[in-house]
Amino acid sequence: MHIVVCVKQVPDTKIIKINPKTNTLDRRSAPAILNPYDAHAVQEAVKIKKMLGKGTISVLSMGPPQATAVIKKSIEIGADRGFLISDRAFAGADTLATSYALSKALERISKENPVDLIICGKHAIDGDTGQVGPGIARRLDIPPVTNVIEVSELNESESTVLLKRKITSGYELILAQVPCLLTVEKEINSIEYSPMPNMIKAARYEPVIWSVNDLEDVDRTQLGLKGSPTIVGKMFTPPKPEGGKRLEGNADDQVKQLMELLSDKKELFAAQ
Ligand SMILES: Cc1cc2nc3c(=O)[nH]c(=O)nc-3n(C[C@H](O)[C@H](O)[C@H](O)COP(=O)(O)OP(=O)(O)OC[C@H]3O[C@@H](n4cnc5c(N)ncnc54)[C@H](O)[C@@H]3O)c2cc1C
C-alpha cells in the first residue's frame, strides 16, 4: 500500500501576532511548524503501515524551500520519503490553485508508484478553509471522506477501507473504495515519541524538490496568483468582546436586574 500524506508548513497561530497597522499576519513573530492536523495524518499513515506490516509512506508539501523542515518532521514521525514542490510559479495560490498544483505532483508520484490512499489534515491552522483535501480528490476523481476519526479493516484484496467520520449528530461508518482521500481530525490518534533511528534519518534526509518544470501536463494559468480567483476583501482583528456585567445582591435582586437588562435588549430578540 502506498500512502501519501499532504503536509503544510504553517506559522504557530498560538504565538503569531497581527500587525495592527497593516492588519496582516506578522509571519516573523512566530516559528513555522508542521500543521498539527497533518502530524496526526502522518501518524495515522504510520499506524496503517504497522497494521498491514508493509507499505510506503510518502509526504508531499507545497511551499518555499524552508518547508523541507515539515518533511523532515514527518520523516521523524515515520514517513519513508518526502517531496516538496517549490517554485515562484506556485506563489500567491488560493485553495483552488493549491489543490491543482498538489494534484499534479500526486499524479507524478503515482506514475512511479501508484497511490492507494491520500491523507490530509482536517484543515490548516492558518488558512483554515478545509478545502484543499476535497479539492485534490475532485481533481483526481477519487472519493473524499472528511473528518475521519478512525481507520480500520483495510482489505487489500477487496480494495476497501472502513472509516469512521465525525458528524454533527454523532458519527458515520463508511466503507470506502481505495484509492480515496481522507481528511483527519486530531482525535484519530495521539502523536507518539519518535524513535531515535527516525530522528537520525530525518536529520540526514534530503527531500526531493520539484519545480513546475518537473510536473507533467501543467496548465500554468491554473497555478499561483494567476490561477487564484479568490479576492481577499479585508483582513482585520475581531474586536475584543466587552466585559460582562456582574449581577449583585440576593437571588431576587439578581433576577430583577436580569429582567431589566433583557428588556433593554428586547429588540435584539424580536429581530430573531
Ligand atoms: C489570493 C490569495 C493568495 C495567497 N497567497 C499565498 C502565498 O503566496 N503563500 C501562502 O503560503 N499562502 C497563500 N495563500 C493562502 C493559501 O491559499 C492557503 O494557504 C492554501 O491554499 C491552503 O489553504 P488552507 O490553509 O485553507 O488549507 P486547508 O484546506 O484548511 O488544508 C487542509 C489540508 O490540506 C493540505 N494542505 C493545504 N495546503 C497545503 C500545502 N501547501 N502543501 C501540502 N498540503 C497542504 C494539508 O493536509 C492540510 O491539513 C493565499 C490565499 C489567497 C486567497
Side-chain angles (χ1 to χ4, degrees):
M1 163 146 308
H2 184 197
I3 307 171
V4 182
V5 186
C6 293
V7 293
K8 184 182 179 193
Q9 189 175 49
V10 295
D12 191 340
T13 50
K14 280 193 261 131
I15 301 173
I16 200 160
K17 294 191 181 81
I18 292 190
N19 182 326
K21 284 193 190 126
T22 59
N23 280 328
T24 54
L25 297 183
D26 178 5
R27 289 181 184 267
R28 285 164 308 169
S29 67
I33 57 167
L34 169 62
N35 181 40
Y37 288 88
D38 303 351
H40 287 272
V42 179
Q43 186 70 62
E44 196 57 23
V46 172
K47 206 177 103 190
I48 294 169
K49 185 176 163 182
K50 267 192 202 148
M51 207 156 72
L52 294 172
K54 59 182 178 183
T56 304
I57 304 168
S58 305
V59 292
L60 169 65
S61 191
M62 179 177 102
Q66 51 278 26
T68 50
V70 295
I71 293 178
K72 283 172 168 274
K73 182 72 200 165
S74 305
I75 300 280
E76 232 178 85
I77 300 173
D80 299 300
R81 56 188 197 151
F83 301 86
L84 173 69
I85 54 167
S86 193
D87 197 298
R88 290 186 75 84
F90 303 130
D94 66 1
T95 58
L96 200 69
T98 301
S99 58
Y100 178 70
L102 290 172
S103 69
K104 286 292 162 192
L106 281 156
E107 278 173 10
R108 162 120 200 227
I109 294 171
S110 207
K111 213 169 158 187
E112 289 163 15
N113 182 2
V115 178
D116 302 291
L117 207 57
I118 301 170
I119 313 184
C120 291
K122 177 180 94 163
H123 63 208
I125 58 168
D126 57 347
D128 208 359
T129 65
Q131 292 173 355
V132 171
I136 294 171
R138 176 72 187 83
R139 290 177 182 286
L140 298 178
D141 201 19
I142 57 171
V145 184
T146 54
N147 304 85
V148 173
I149 51 171
E150 196 180 302
V151 178
S152 61
E153 296 182 29
L154 247 157
N155 187 327
E156 283 194 282
S157 56
E158 301 276 327
S159 297
T160 55
V161 57
L162 188 64
L163 303 164
K164 188 173 179 181
R165 70 182 289 261
K166 199 156 100 175
I167 52 173
T168 321
S169 53
Y171 64 83
E172 216 170 46
L173 285 175
I174 293 182
L175 189 65
Q177 202 73 37
V178 298
C180 62
L181 180 144
L182 328 179
T183 76
V184 300
E185 300 270 355
K186 279 186 187 170
E187 65 210 71
I188 192 162
N189 54 42
S190 25
I191 306 290
E192 291 170 14
Y193 285 107
S194 302
M196 189 56 88
N198 287 13
M199 290 165 92
I200 295 168
K201 182 179 170 187
R204 294 179 181 155
Y205 189 75
E206 293 297 336
V208 177
I209 302 181
W210 284 333
S211 73
V212 66
N213 294 329
D214 295 308
L215 307 180
E216 285 174 14
D217 298 326
V218 176
D219 172 5
R220 290 182 184 236
T221 63
Q222 294 193 51
L223 294 175
L225 199 56
K226 251 192 278 174
S228 300
T230 313
I231 295 165
V232 181
K234 192 178 170 187
M235 265 187 78
F236 60 94
T237 315
K240 283 207 175 117
E242 286 169 24
K245 184 174 165 59
R246 195 182 174 92
L247 303 178
E248 306 287 349
N250 62 28
D252 285 347
D253 290 341
Q254 289 187 28
V255 168
K256 206 169 147 217
Q257 289 167 50
L258 182 61
M259 292 309 287
E260 279 164 13
L261 280 169
L262 289 174
S263 80
D264 283 350
K265 305 256 181 221
K266 63 175 179 256
E267 69 283 359
L268 288 179
F269 302 105
Q272 306 286 317

